[in-house]
Amino acid sequence: MTTRPFVLCALSLTLACAWMAYPAAHHSFAMYDAAKPVTLRGRVATFRWINPHSVFTITADDDGAVWAIELSSPSNMTRIGWSRTTLAVGDHVEVSVSPMRDGSKGAACRQLKFLDKNVMLECGSATAIHVGEKEN
């Protein structure tokens, strides 16, 4: 009896299991506290339109702290009206966020308002679903 069929079968199963585990490695928003939304006002310092999640930083008006705000992926953001030019350095914004559970200056975006334009945008992240509401 040859071991070749056994080795091929074992290799095929290993590859199949590895491929099935790949989607399960998607990023989570569990590090953010959706039950304690915070509103920040400040100026956009950076904006990176990148995968797997876009991110921008703001310098807060009240204390000068720099916050890193995570968004959804560029493809998801495009579906809700964003583009790589939606935010620009220097834009004055008010942003509703779900802050990091560990208290660091990071958060997931819920809504963003341009203070100079009086325009409001949804951010499209998983934490935009308010506690107690059901997703459509």
Side-chain angles (χ1 to χ4, degrees), residues 11-23:
L11 181 60
S12 296
L13 284 172
T14 301
L15 290 173
C17 289
W19 181 254
M20 289 180 350
Y22 176 75

Side-chain angles (χ1 to χ4, degrees), residues 1 4 11 20-21 26 29 32 34 37 46 51 53 55 60 82 89 98 102 112 120 122 134:
M1 180 170 187
R4 186 173 179 181
L11 181 60
M20 289 180 350
H26 185 76
F29 283 88
Y32 302 112
T46 63
N51 279 311
H53 299 275
V55 65
W82 286 63
V89 172
S98 296
D102 68 4
L112 181 131
M120 178 87 69
E122 292 296 323
K134 293 185 179 178

Side-chain angles (χ1 to χ4, degrees), residues 52-99:
H53 299 275
S54 295
V55 65
F56 66 97
T57 59
I58 67 166
T59 304
D61 288 345
D62 60 351
D63 62 2
V66 176
W67 284 74
I69 315 293
E70 185 174 2
L71 298 164
S72 190
S73 68
S75 59
N76 286 342
M77 299 305 292
T78 300
R79 281 192 277 281
I80 61 171
W82 286 63
S83 76
R84 68 178 56 253
T85 60
T86 297
L87 283 177
V89 172
D91 283 344
H92 197 211
V93 297
E94 178 178 276
V95 59
S96 172
V97 299
S98 296

Side-chain angles (χ1 to χ4, degrees), residues 12 30 40 48 68 77 83 87 104 111 115-117 123 132-133:
S12 296
L40 304 169
R48 298 193 61 204
M77 299 305 292
S83 76
L87 283 177
S104 61
Q111 282 186 328
L115 294 174
D116 300 334
K117 304 173 194 171
C123 293
E133 294 180 354

